[in-house]
Amino acid sequence: MTDQTNSHAALMDATYRRQRIIYDATRKYYLLGRDHLIRNLNPPEGGKVLEVACGTGRNLAKIADRYPGCDLYGLDISSEMLTSARAKLKGRATLAQADACNFDPAEVFGTPKFDRIILSYSLSMIPDWTAALATSARHLAPGGELHLVDFGDQQGLPAWFRAGLHAWLAKFHVTPRADLEHELTTLAQSLGAQSDTTPLYRSYARYGRLVAGSA
């Protein structure tokens, strides 16, 4: 990994070394929309599903329960988070440490393409988040789908709530991406793909999907 990647990995390890123990119990109250994403994932029977920045493995565990028979993969830059993911998943997914902005799945997992790729509350934590988004999209199989959920603009919520949320998130190195919809649309156009986004919970969160071309 590059020096920049190592630096970010160290920051994430320091941030989550202790938090990972209580992460799932606390984040369920404000990482809203993750289950909406999982319900809409609909991978093909026996399909390959990758979560980029898989964290504790919470989403992959739920996907394993909902869509049995799929081959599941997860990567994260934090070795601390992967410790929790391995304990939670108990071999139900293939996990690896890698940089979301620059990874080669054929090298990391032995498979170059995926039917579904997930980015769940991760782009708001990745400094070069547009690179992570583009890298994930490039690894979709023909007709594959990229599903993402992250913080929205909260325009349907009171200003005091937005200010308080952003101040709280900053303590954990989280920055909501105001231009997420624009970047997803632009990326889809450049790839000859289709995309759509949906605000959730009065725009607290935003769910997006990019569908790769069939050829």
Side-chain angles (χ1 to χ4, degrees):
M1 292 191 287
T2 66
D3 289 344
Q4 183 177 5
T5 299
N6 286 331
S7 176
H8 187 57
L11 175 62
M12 292 298 98
D13 279 346
T15 300
Y16 291 113
R17 183 165 289 115
R18 293 180 178 82
Q19 282 193 48
R20 67 180 178 82
I21 300 170
I22 60 169
Y23 187 93
D24 290 335
T26 57
R27 266 54 175 186
K28 66 181 180 180
Y29 297 108
Y30 63 91
L31 298 188
L32 307 180
R34 295 179 296 173
D35 291 337
H36 176 91
L37 181 155
I38 292 169
R39 287 193 299 271
N40 285 276
L41 197 59
N42 295 319
E45 182 68 26
K48 296 179 179 180
V49 179
L50 167 67
E51 181 168 18
V52 175
C54 64
T56 64
R58 180 263 188 196
N59 293 332
L60 287 172
K62 288 186 173 291
I63 292 167
D65 292 338
R66 189 178 182 92
Y67 305 106
C70 286
D71 293 328
L72 305 183
Y73 304 84
L75 66 84
D76 204 282
I77 201 169
S78 169
S79 61
E80 293 289 338
M81 283 300 215
L82 287 171
T83 296
S84 289
R86 291 188 179 100
K88 182 183 296 293
L89 290 162
K90 296 180 172 60
R92 291 195 291 172
T94 302
L95 303 175
Q97 185 177 19
D99 183 358
C101 301
N102 182 25
F103 67 94
D104 180 352
E107 179 180 327
V108 176
F109 297 116
T111 184
K113 300 290 182 180
F114 301 89
D115 300 292
R116 298 290 185 272
I117 297 179
I118 302 163
L119 288 159
S120 172
Y121 283 96
S122 51
L123 295 176
S124 52
M125 296 198 69
I126 299 172
D128 193 2
W129 66 275
T130 56
L133 183 61
T135 297
S136 292
R138 287 198 301 270
H139 298 313
L140 287 172
E145 298 177 5
L146 172 67
H147 291 247
L148 63 88
V149 65
D150 217 307
F151 293 103
D153 58 20
Q154 295 97 44
Q155 289 303 308
L157 298 166
W160 63 264
F161 178 90
R162 297 198 302 272
L165 176 65
H166 283 230
W168 170 254
L169 293 176
K171 296 178 182 294
F172 302 99
H173 312 286
V174 176
T175 305
R177 307 306 183 184
D179 50 351
L180 178 57
E181 181 177 9
H182 171 74
E183 289 295 335
L184 184 65
T185 301
T186 301
L187 176 61
Q189 291 173 346
S190 72
L191 297 174
Q194 297 180 336
S195 68
D196 57 77
T197 62
T198 304
L200 302 174
Y201 313 109
R202 297 171 66 185
S203 290
Y204 175 92
R206 181 166 291 275
Y207 166 68
R209 187 175 63 122
L210 182 150
V211 183
S214 57

